[in-house]
């Protein structure tokens, strides 16, 4: 960059500013986000003013109502045509309200609602000192094992802050797939990541592990965010804007005027490609794609199981949503550059996830690797780069998220003296002792494996079909091979549950409250409905498959 | 009028449904209902026949389309019927003989507590068989084909408490599967060649397909015919099928179902006419079976098995005639109809004899029955004269024509075929005379009734206590009347058909007809036939009429012993197919265990090892994870840039 360019930067800034226009905010179209963020702020106030005894119920009520209202708002927007004919960019170009955004927001809200139910479960552990306890630490700030902690437990403290935290995270997730410029994207990412780091750290049992997971997640997440941010800067250098539409125009060569301040860098394809790769890396980290997946098993295992379920389901939906928008709105003109790279990522992700899962001995780690493999399958749909690719990915995300929340909810039920019995050997013979719970878990595993009559099959079939039609036949072959490998460890768990002798000192299955029962029931229902009659929902995803630009 | 066609099938089908689903309430009246519906189908057939006679020869074929069965783009199958002269012939034979045998069964099955079920199966058979002959496409024909197979299976094994009956039913079913595969492959080939399997388009455009394809279709159809009609090499089931009740043997395994193969080949004449190689195969199969069945028939002491060998042989005649092409089709069908009469009559006669003899089937334990069962003797005797081709009776007219047509084939082939058919006629005369003499003439060789403990089961109607001598008596009216009516057919049908070549002209629009010209005059052929016939009768008389028949069968020559074992067909099947199949499966299991499982387990082990190694990368240190991410990002960027550079 020469001295004159620097000079022009300064002079441009020094020129007298024109009048700053009043931002126009379409409050109605942003209602889902606003409701949730409002409830989160209220939740913070609740922590401050409501007596400790009433906080749990108040927070649960507030979260439930907020999520339900937000979902109603999404449905209302979709019904009034904002998903199709009236799709538009709102909030001064920051947020897109269109079919994919509303579909993903609806999915996130519903899975979150179900996940919040599992957060609120208080009947699994025996009561401490007459106080019912949930999965979260009595006082997160207390050093594990310290007197301070013991006192907090004795006093019956609970970390009801998890409710506002999860609402903040949901807010970020709602914005993430709807973000229409790179800065909004980054802010949304941080808004949902930071609460998640905290939530990972507040497990009641195995607190050291939980805190280790949180620190790892935070460090690596920050690392990935740095890449993302640097990528955003490079893309700004390339296009002179952070707006998706504007970058897309520059990529297509449709913009004639060049910002004089950026004359040396604009339309420099090296900036574009490096910036794109870095932004993509940030998103691939969030979905847990190889080689950015290493945090997943550790964090999934260490985090409180309800948080794991929420994270595994909702984060994936949000991150894939953002990736879809980035690839389909900003970079369709760059398809020939990103597709081969993504091919590689998808293949490595599918195979590595499936293969490493084979030797796992902890059910939560097993599900973590399973989620990595599934990230690969979803990537196959993303890579299709066709309208079918979008709709099949949307469908897969919806199907997958409910199965995931349900599966982790079942994990919370199987307990022994040390809390959840996550070691696989303890699950031996579970089907003999608790046939219903084992059967439900088997349904989820079959759905993960993609066996017909479950949602997993419909989703996998849809993405593979889209990928094959989009010219990615090799990817489909690899995907089927990876599915076959994955089927091994899913079925192995089923065999273990039903065909092994129960361990005499094996875990017991806790009887949950209606909250967890609802979460599991919804998971089973969605799994079966999407497996038996997927067409309506495929059509819905198909109608929602057009991005506004 | 064509709307009546569906009624042909509907009546017996209704009977089957009501009788099989109706439960015990129908036990009292079930047999009447079954017989009535069979008769109703016959009446419908006669009405349609009368209507058909009123039209010109070329306009006689009528169609009825019920509904679209498989409505798929590019694959259309209808449930539609075609009733032309060929189908009409079969309809009358099936419903006519079928009704008579229903009547006969009322008496024959009187003491069987599962009589209602028996009539249900019989009705089911009629429905399937009628569907087979009036279908207007090969797929629907296949449906009927499988239907008669099912009914045959159920009826052979009707006395399923007898292990021999259950085994025989299974054997018939399995052997028929082999033939059925032929039919299904033929239909698939037709579909790929012609794009349809309706008779009209397939047979109409048969000439346009390549000869190789037509030969393949023809050979597959022949395989199907071999299975259903018990022709070499799929003949082994028919003898064992005699385990079924005798009316079943008469209706299904003599008069109607086993002739379905002849129908199939005649119906597909256009294909065979254009595929001389397939036609040659048909002729060879017919000629071989003709002699095979006849030789087996000579050695059997079981009256029903002797008749079964005879059936095989007579169908061999028909297949041979059908293989001769347009000079033979009409005679094949004509022999089929006359055979339907006299063979059904013979079987009913055999049933009547067994009925009076405590269900003894060994002819060596009969003898001198003519005075005890006069009606049976006379009707059986007329059937006997008909089948050996005694001049003037039905069999004479139809068989003589086939022999003439065989000579008319021309060249060396013609001489060989002519000689075979002539020889067959001689052997027929021999073994039928043997049956006749051993049963009705000579001295009584009756034995006490068999002990039920030693024979696993006995047919119903046995009232004699074990160890009691039989008291032969004439059968009740319900059994003798059908025998008498069939005897009329045995005597007069052939002559009636041959009057002004009426039958040939009747079928000509469907099967086409050419006059065959034998190298010698027809009179010479006829004379030769009669001479051969007399020689056969003479030898049999010399062997069995002039000498006492031993009660225990003598050891006999090598050929006799082989023929008693059905010319070693089961031994052959056992050694080649069963043993071979066992060896094949054993080696496949070995390959499966060592190779396939080895590969599978090896892959699994390799994956497990890979997994174990890869999970070591997950060492728990955030710094390693960060390095991996950094490396991944570097590769991602490099790859993206590289893609642009390439």
């Amino acid at each position: 960059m020469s001295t004159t360019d620097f000079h022009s930067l300064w002079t441009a800034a020094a020129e007298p500013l024109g009048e700053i226009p009043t931002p126009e905010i379409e409050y109605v179209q942003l209602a889902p986000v606003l409701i949730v963020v409002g409830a989160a702020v209220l939740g913070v106030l609740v922590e401050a003013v409501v007596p400790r005894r009433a906080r749990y119920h108040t927070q649960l009520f507030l979260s439930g109502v907020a999520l339900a209202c937000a979902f109603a708002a999404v449905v209302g927007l979709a019904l009034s045509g904002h998903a199709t004919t009236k799709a538009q960019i709102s909030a001064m170009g920051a947020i897109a309200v269109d079919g994919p955004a509303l579909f993903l927001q609806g999915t996130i809200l519903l899975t979150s609602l179900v996940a919040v139910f599992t957060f609120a479960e208080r009947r699994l552990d025996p009561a401490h000192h007459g106080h019912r306890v949930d999965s979260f630490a009595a006082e997160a700030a207390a050093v594990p094992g310290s007197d301070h902690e013991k006192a907090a437990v004795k006093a019956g403290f609970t970390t009801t802050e998890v409710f506002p935290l999860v609402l903040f995270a949901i807010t970020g997730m709602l914005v993430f797939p709807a973000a229409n410029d790179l800065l909004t994207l980054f802010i949304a990412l941080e808004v949902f990541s930071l609460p998640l780091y905290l939530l990972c750290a507040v497990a009641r049992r195995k607190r050291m592990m939980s805190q280790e997971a949180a620190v790892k997640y935070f460090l690596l997440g920050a690392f990935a965010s740095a890449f993302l941010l640097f990528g955003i800067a490079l893309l700004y250098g390339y296009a002179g804007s952070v707006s998706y539409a504007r970058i897309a125009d520059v990529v297509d060569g449709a913009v004639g005027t060049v910002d004089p301040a950026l004359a040396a860098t604009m339309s420099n394809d090296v900036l574009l490609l490096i910036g794109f790769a870095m932004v993509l890396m940030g998103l691939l980290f969030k979905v847990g794609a190889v080689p950015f997946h290493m945090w997943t098993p550790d964090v999934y295992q260490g985090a409180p199981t309800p948080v794991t379920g929420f994270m595994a389901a909702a984060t994936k939906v949000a991150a894939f949503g953002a990736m879809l928008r980035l690839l389909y709105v900003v970079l369709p003109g760059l398809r020939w550059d990103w597709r081969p790279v993504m091919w590689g990522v998808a293949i490595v992700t599918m195979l590595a996830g499936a293969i490493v899962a084979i030797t796992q001995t902890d059910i939560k780690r097993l599900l973590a690797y399973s989620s990595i493999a599934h990230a690969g399958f979803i990537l196959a749909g993303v890579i299709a780069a066709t309208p079918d690719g979008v709709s099949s990915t949307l469908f897969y995300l919806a199907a997958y998220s409910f199965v995931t929340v349900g599966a982790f909810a079942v994990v919370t039920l199987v307990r022994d003296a040390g809390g959840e019995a996550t070691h696989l050997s303890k699950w031996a013979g579970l089907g003999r002792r608790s046939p219903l719970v084992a059967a439900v878990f088997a349904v989820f595993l079959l759905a993960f494996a993609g066996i017909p009559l479950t949602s997993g099959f419909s989703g996998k079939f849809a993405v593979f079909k889209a990928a094959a039609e989009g010219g990615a036949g090799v990817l489909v072959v690899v995907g089927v091979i990876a599915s076959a490998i994955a089927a091994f460890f899913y079925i192995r768990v089923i065999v273990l549950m039903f065909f092994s002798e129960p361990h005499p000192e094996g875990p017991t299955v806790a009887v949950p409250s209606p909250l967890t029962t609802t979460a599991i029931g919804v998971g089973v229902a969605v799994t079966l409905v999407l497996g038996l009659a997927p067409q309506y929902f495929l059509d819905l995803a198909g109608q929602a498959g057009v991005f506004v630009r | 009028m064509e709307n009546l066609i569906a009624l042909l099938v509907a009546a017996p089908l209704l009977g089957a449904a009501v009788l099989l689903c109706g439960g015990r309430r129908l036990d009292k009246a079930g047999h009447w209902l079954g017989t009535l519906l069979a008769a109703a189908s016959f009446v419908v057939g006669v009405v349609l026949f009368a209507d058909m006679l009123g039209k010109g020869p070329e306009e006689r074929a009528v169609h009825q389309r019920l509904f679209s069965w498989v409505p798929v783009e590019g694959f259309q199958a209808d449930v539609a019927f075609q009733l032309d002269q060929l189908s009409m012939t079969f309809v009358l034979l099936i419903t006519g003989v079928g009704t008579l045998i229903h009547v006969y069964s009322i008496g024959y099955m009187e003491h069987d507590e599962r009589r209602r079920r028996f009539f249900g199966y019989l009705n089911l058979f009629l429905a399937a068989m009628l569907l087979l002959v009036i279908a207007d496409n090969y797929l629907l024909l296949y449906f009927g084909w499988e239907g008669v197979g099912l009914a045959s299976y159920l009826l052979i094994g009707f006395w399923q408490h007898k292990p021999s009956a259950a085994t025989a039913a299974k054997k018939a079913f399995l052997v028929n599967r082999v033939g059925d595969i032929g039919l299904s492959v033929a239909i698939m080939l037709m579909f790929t060649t012609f794009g349809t399997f309706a008779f009209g388009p397939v047979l109409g455009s048969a000439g346009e397909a390549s000869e190789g394809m037509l030969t393949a279709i023809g050979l597959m159809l022949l395989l199907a015919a071999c299975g259903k009609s018990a022709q070499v090499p799929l003949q082994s089931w028919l003898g064992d099928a005699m385990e079924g009740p005798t009316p079943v043997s008469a209706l299904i395994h003599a008069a109607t179902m086993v002739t379905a193969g002849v129908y199939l080949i005649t119906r597909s004449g256009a294909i065979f006419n254009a595929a001389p190689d397939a036609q040659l195969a048909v002729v060879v199969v017919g000629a071989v079976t003709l002699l095979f069945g006849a030789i087996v028939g000579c050695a059997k002491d079981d009256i029903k098995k002797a008749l079964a060998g005879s059936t095989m042989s007579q169908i061999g005649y028909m297949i041979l005639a059908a293989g001769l092409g347009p000079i033979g089709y009409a005679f094949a069908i004509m022999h089929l109809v006359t055979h339907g009469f006299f063979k059904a009559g013979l079987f009913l006669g055999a049933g009547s004899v067994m009925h009076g003899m405590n269900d003894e089937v060994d002819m060596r334990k009969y003898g001198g029955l003519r005075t005890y069962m006069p009606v049976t003797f006379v009707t059986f005797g007329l059937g006997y004269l008909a089948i050996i081709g005694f001049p003037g009776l039905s069999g004479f007219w139809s068989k003589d024509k086939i022999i003439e047509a065989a000579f008319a084939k021309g060249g060396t082939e013609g001489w060989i075929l002519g000689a075979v058919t002539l020889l067959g006629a001689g052997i027929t005369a021999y073994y039928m005379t043997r049956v006749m003499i051993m049963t009705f003439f000579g001295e009584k060789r009756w034995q006490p009734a068999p002990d039920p403990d030693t024979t696993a089961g006995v047919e119903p109607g046995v009232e004699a206590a074990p160890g009691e001598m039989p008291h032969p008596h004439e059968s009740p009216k319900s059994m003798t009347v059908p025998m008498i009516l069939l005897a009329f057919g045995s005597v007069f049908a052939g002559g009636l058909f041959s009057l002004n070549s009426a039958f040939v002209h009747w079928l000509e629009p469907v099967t086409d007809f050419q006059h065959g010209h034998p190298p010698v005059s027809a009179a010479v052929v006829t004379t030769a036939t009669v001479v051969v016939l007399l020689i056969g009768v003479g030898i049999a008389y010399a062997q069995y009429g002039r000498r006492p028949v031993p009660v225990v069968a003598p050891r006999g020559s090598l050929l006799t012993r082989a023929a008693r074992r059905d010319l070693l067909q089961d031994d052959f099947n056992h050694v080649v197919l069963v043993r071979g199949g066992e060896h094949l499966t054993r080696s496949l299991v070995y390959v499966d265990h060592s190779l396939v499982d080895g590969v599978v387990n090896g892959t699994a082990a390799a994956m497990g090892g890979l997994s174990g190694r890869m999970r070591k990368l997950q060492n728990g240190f955030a710094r390693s994870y960060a390095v991996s991410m950094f490396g991944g990002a570097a590769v991602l960027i490099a790859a993206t840039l590289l893609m642009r550079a390439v």
Side-chain angles (χ1 to χ4, degrees):
Chain A
M1 203 180 272
S2 62
T3 43
T4 46
D5 291 338
F6 265 111
H7 181 69
S8 75
L9 268 175
W10 287 109
T11 50
E15 277 169 22
L17 289 167
E19 198 174 334
I20 297 173
T22 321
E24 282 179 37
I25 305 294
E26 293 84 348
Y27 291 102
V28 173
Q29 291 166 32
L30 300 178
V33 181
L34 295 177
I35 291 170
V36 176
V37 76
V41 173
L42 271 181
V44 174
L45 288 178
V46 167
E47 287 300 320
V49 299
V50 174
R52 197 179 282 278
R53 279 172 50 208
R55 276 185 213 162
Y56 166 77
H57 290 103
T58 317
Q59 292 286 19
L60 178 57
F61 177 77
L62 182 65
S63 314
V65 170
L67 292 173
C69 288
F71 182 70
V74 167
V75 173
L77 285 173
L79 288 180
S80 58
H82 284 283
T84 48
T85 49
K86 287 200 265 173
Q88 64 178 65
I89 312 283
S90 57
M92 305 285 289
I95 306 262
V97 180
D98 58 7
L102 288 173
F103 187 95
L104 292 164
Q105 286 176 343
T107 309
I108 292 168
L109 286 166
L110 274 188
T111 39
S112 302
L113 185 61
V114 175
V116 163
F117 286 165
T118 63
F119 276 54
E121 176 63 53
R122 294 191 137 180
R123 288 207 196 150
L124 298 178
D125 260 338
H128 280 273
H129 309 288
H131 304 288
R132 288 217 163 134
V133 294
D134 49 25
S135 306
F136 303 102
E139 196 170 337
V143 176
S146 64
D147 293 338
H148 184 180
E149 188 192 27
K150 285 176 191 144
V153 169
K154 197 165 184 183
F157 291 177
T158 51
T159 311
T160 45
E161 289 91 340
V162 293
F163 292 101
L165 281 175
V166 81
L167 287 178
F168 277 121
I170 295 167
T171 309
M173 288 173 184
L174 293 180
V175 176
F176 203 46
N180 198 46
D181 66 44
L182 291 168
L183 279 182
T184 315
L185 180 82
F186 179 71
I187 291 168
L189 174 75
E190 294 304 322
V191 167
F192 82 75
S193 294
L194 293 170
L196 281 181
Y197 302 145
L198 283 177
L199 285 169
C200 287
V202 296
R204 170 173 289 268
R205 310 249 190 186
K206 298 175 191 155
R207 289 196 59 202
M208 297 296 283
M209 215 169 149
S210 170
Q211 293 184 351
E212 179 190 333
V215 172
K216 277 183 188 165
Y217 192 17
F218 171 68
L219 284 175
L220 297 174
F223 192 45
S225 294
F227 276 92
L228 182 84
L229 198 55
F230 193 28
I232 289 173
L234 292 178
L235 285 180
Y236 177 76
Y238 167 78
S241 166
V242 291
S243 151
Y244 282 7
R246 169 96 179 158
I247 299 173
D249 286 342
V250 179
V251 171
D252 293 343
V255 172
T257 58
V258 174
D259 191 332
L262 296 169
T265 58
M266 259 189 81
S267 305
N268 181 340
D269 277 355
V270 174
L271 286 187
L272 170 68
L273 294 174
I274 297 177
F276 151 73
M278 289 181 143
V279 172
L280 196 62
M281 187 224 132
L283 297 176
L284 288 173
F285 173 83
K286 277 294 162 196
V287 302
V290 177
F292 314 108
H293 68 290
M294 313 226 29
W295 61 276
T296 321
D298 292 9
V299 174
Y300 276 24
Q301 188 186 14
T305 308
V307 175
T308 311
F310 169 69
M311 195 160 60
T315 312
K316 205 155 248 165
V317 177
F320 268 111
M323 191 188 295
L324 277 176
R325 187 174 297 279
L326 186 76
L327 294 179
Y328 283 65
V329 173
V330 185
L331 300 168
L334 215 57
R335 197 177 307 147
W336 302 112
D337 295 297
W338 63 257
R339 279 190 72 179
V341 179
M342 293 285 279
W343 268 54
V345 174
I347 288 174
V348 176
T349 306
M350 287 190 276
L351 288 178
I355 290 173
V356 182
I358 293 176
T359 43
Q360 296 306 314
T361 52
D362 184 284
I363 189 78
K364 284 169 83 177
R365 282 185 89 83
L366 181 89
L367 291 177
Y369 280 104
S370 144
S371 93
I372 293 170
H374 278 277
F377 299 141
I378 303 174
L379 277 176
V382 173
I383 291 170
T386 57
D388 273 355
V390 180
S391 63
S392 65
T393 307
L394 295 181
F395 180 85
Y396 198 119
L397 288 169
Y400 175 77
S401 56
F402 284 97
V403 180
T404 304
V405 173
F408 279 105
V410 173
V411 171
T412 63
L413 301 184
V414 183
R415 308 180 82 89
D416 59 14
E420 287 159 11
T422 55
H423 199 274
L424 267 181
S425 64
K426 296 185 178 168
W427 286 58
L430 193 72
R432 308 268 181 93
R433 279 205 302 262
S434 307
L436 184 64
V437 171
V440 166
F441 198 63
V443 169
F444 290 140
L445 289 173
L446 292 176
F448 280 135
I451 304 296
L453 303 186
T454 64
S455 59
F457 173 75
S458 318
K460 216 175 249 180
F461 185 80
V463 290
F464 285 169
K465 180 164 169 275
E469 284 169 358
V474 177
L475 212 54
V476 175
V477 173
V478 175
V480 171
I481 291 172
S483 301
I485 298 171
F488 167 76
F489 58 81
Y490 294 127
I491 306 293
R492 194 180 62 154
V493 176
I494 296 178
V495 171
L496 191 70
M497 289 194 300
F498 286 97
F499 301 102
S500 301
E501 284 303 317
H503 202 272
E505 290 155 20
T508 53
V509 171
V511 179
S513 71
L515 291 166
T516 301
T517 313
T518 310
I520 296 173
V522 170
V524 173
V526 172
T527 304
L528 294 181
V529 169
L530 293 191
L532 293 170
Q535 197 54 49
Y536 172 77
F537 300 94
L538 281 171
D539 290 345
L540 196 67
Q543 288 164 16
V546 183
F547 289 98
V548 72
R549 183 171 156 181
Chain B
M1 191 56 78
E2 60 266 20
N3 291 337
L4 285 179
I5 300 176
L7 269 185
L8 286 172
V9 180
L13 193 63
L14 174 76
V18 170
L19 290 176
L20 293 178
C21 307
R24 296 240 167 84
R25 275 157 292 169
L26 293 171
D27 274 354
K28 288 231 173 72
H31 47 287
W32 292 114
L33 180 70
T35 310
L36 198 70
L37 285 167
S41 191
F42 177 63
V43 170
V44 173
V46 169
V47 170
L48 285 165
F49 178 59
D51 180 60
M52 190 177 273
L53 284 181
K55 296 180 193 165
E58 298 295 335
E59 292 110 47
R60 281 177 175 166
V62 287
H63 296 85
Q64 181 186 9
R65 185 176 170 285
L66 278 192
F67 56 87
S68 183
W69 183 17
V70 186
V72 176
E73 181 72 31
F75 185 99
Q76 296 288 335
D78 288 346
V79 172
F81 304 131
Q82 166 181 319
L83 191 65
D84 57 9
Q85 290 89 329
L86 181 61
S87 303
M88 195 71 228
T89 311
F90 272 89
V91 165
L92 291 178
L93 176 72
I94 295 161
T95 55
V97 176
T99 307
L100 289 180
I101 287 173
H102 273 74
V103 174
Y104 179 91
S105 304
I106 295 174
Y108 191 84
M109 300 296 283
E110 196 174 354
H111 303 285
D112 195 307
E113 53 190 28
R114 295 162 73 229
R115 180 163 67 165
R116 171 182 55 82
R117 185 182 294 266
F118 181 79
F119 276 84
Y121 291 159
L122 275 188
N123 271 358
L124 180 68
F125 167 75
L126 279 190
M129 188 73 204
L130 287 166
L131 188 66
L132 195 167
V133 296
I134 64 173
D136 95 325
N137 61 65
Y138 280 98
L139 201 65
L140 194 61
L141 179 146
Y142 188 53
F143 191 90
W145 188 271
E146 293 294 324
V148 294
L150 169 69
S152 161
Y153 168 79
L154 292 170
L155 286 165
I156 294 172
F158 186 73
W159 288 316
Q160 68 230 73
H161 53 270
K162 290 201 290 184
S164 55
T167 312
K170 207 191 300 178
K171 183 174 180 185
F173 198 78
L174 287 176
V175 175
N176 267 294
R177 297 308 314 158
V178 179
D180 295 347
I181 288 170
L183 184 53
S184 60
V185 171
I187 293 174
M188 292 176 210
L189 289 177
M190 279 175 203
F191 186 72
T192 52
T193 313
F194 304 106
T196 173
F197 25 65
F199 289 152
V202 169
L203 301 174
S205 56
E208 295 159 21
S210 73
E211 194 183 317
M213 179 55 79
L214 289 174
T215 306
I217 296 176
L219 289 177
M220 285 297 117
L221 289 173
L222 175 63
L223 181 66
C226 283
K228 201 56 93 190
S229 296
Q231 300 293 294
V232 176
L234 298 179
Q235 79 291 0
S236 64
W237 64 273
L238 188 62
D240 297 278
M242 296 302 129
E243 288 288 340
T246 307
V248 171
S249 310
L251 176 61
I252 301 185
H253 304 121
T256 55
M257 185 192 84
V258 285
T259 59
V262 182
Y263 171 78
L264 185 68
I265 291 176
T266 310
R267 177 57 83 191
S268 314
I271 292 173
F272 284 97
N273 292 346
D277 291 342
Q279 226 166 13
L280 181 66
V282 174
V283 174
V284 170
V285 164
V288 169
T289 313
L290 185 169
L291 292 179
F292 188 102
I295 293 170
V296 169
C298 292
K300 290 288 182 185
D301 291 330
D302 179 325
I303 185 168
K304 283 179 74 180
K305 294 207 169 164
L307 288 177
S310 158
T311 304
M312 212 183 276
S313 167
Q314 297 301 313
I315 297 172
Y317 270 106
M318 301 171 208
I319 296 276
L320 186 148
L324 294 174
I327 59 173
Y329 291 133
F331 301 126
I333 301 299
M334 185 159 129
H335 192 56
L336 191 156
V337 176
T338 56
H339 174 258
F341 285 122
F342 55 67
K343 185 53 67 61
L346 287 169
F347 264 111
L348 294 190
S352 177
V353 169
M354 287 155 59
H355 200 67
M357 293 292 288
N358 296 348
D359 284 305
E360 180 59 71
V361 289
D362 189 350
M363 293 188 290
R364 291 184 183 278
K365 296 172 185 168
Y366 291 166
L369 287 173
R370 65 184 182 283
T371 48
Y372 296 90
M373 314 174 90
V375 180
T376 306
F377 168 60
V378 172
T379 53
F380 195 92
L382 290 172
Y384 154 72
L385 290 177
I387 192 173
I388 65 173
F390 193 80
L393 273 70
S394 287
F396 168 76
W397 299 105
S398 50
K399 198 188 288 180
D400 188 51
K401 287 291 179 195
I402 293 180
I403 297 173
E404 278 177 32
F407 277 112
K409 172 85 174 165
T412 326
E413 272 177 53
W415 284 104
I416 294 173
L417 293 176
V420 166
T421 49
L422 263 184
L423 181 62
I427 303 177
T428 307
Y430 170 79
Y431 67 74
M432 282 312 298
T433 308
R434 175 175 174 269
V435 169
M436 197 67 197
I437 293 174
M438 284 173 89
T439 306
F440 292 103
F441 294 91
E443 74 273 28
K444 304 174 199 171
R445 300 180 299 275
W446 307 343
Q447 300 282 316
D451 187 352
D453 291 337
T454 52
T455 54
V458 279
E459 297 202 23
V462 178
E463 287 136 56
E468 199 178 318
M469 285 300 281
H471 303 285
H473 54 86
E474 192 51 85
S475 298
K477 283 256 161 45
S478 63
M479 289 168 68
T480 51
V481 170
M483 286 154 61
I484 294 167
L485 289 174
L486 286 171
F488 271 100
S490 312
V491 174
F492 299 113
L496 214 59
F497 290 165
S498 300
L499 217 59
N500 296 329
S501 302
F503 195 79
V504 171
H505 291 312
W506 159 254
L507 276 186
E508 198 178 339
V510 183
T511 60
D512 211 2
F513 179 69
Q514 287 169 5
H515 256 294
H517 298 288
V520 288
S521 80
V524 174
V525 174
T526 309
T527 312
T529 313
V530 174
V531 169
V532 168
L533 150 78
L534 290 176
I535 293 173
V537 172
I539 295 175
Y541 180 71
Q543 283 188 349
Y544 295 92
R546 296 172 61 101
R547 282 183 260 165
V549 179
V551 176
V552 177
R555 187 172 147 79
S557 67
L558 199 65
L559 178 65
T560 312
R561 274 179 280 147
R564 280 192 195 129
R565 293 182 65 102
D566 299 307
L567 290 178
L568 306 179
Q569 58 182 17
D570 288 335
D571 306 78
F572 175 83
N573 286 350
H574 187 76
V575 170
V576 176
L577 301 177
V578 178
R579 289 268 173 74
E582 280 173 356
H583 280 295
L584 184 67
T585 49
R586 245 180 249 144
S587 39
L588 284 179
V589 166
Y590 175 75
V591 170
D592 190 48
H593 277 183
S594 55
L595 198 67
V596 179
D597 284 6
V599 171
V600 170
N601 293 336
T603 314
M607 284 295 163
L610 190 60
S611 175
R613 224 157 292 156
M614 280 170 72
R615 71 185 285 210
K616 297 232 170 74
L617 294 175
Q618 191 80 24
N619 57 12
F621 293 122
R623 54 176 187 263
S624 318
Y625 298 175
V627 168
S628 138
M629 282 169 61
F630 186 81
V635 171
L636 203 64
I637 292 167
T640 312
L641 289 174
L642 196 67
M643 280 306 138
R644 176 57 66 93
V646 171

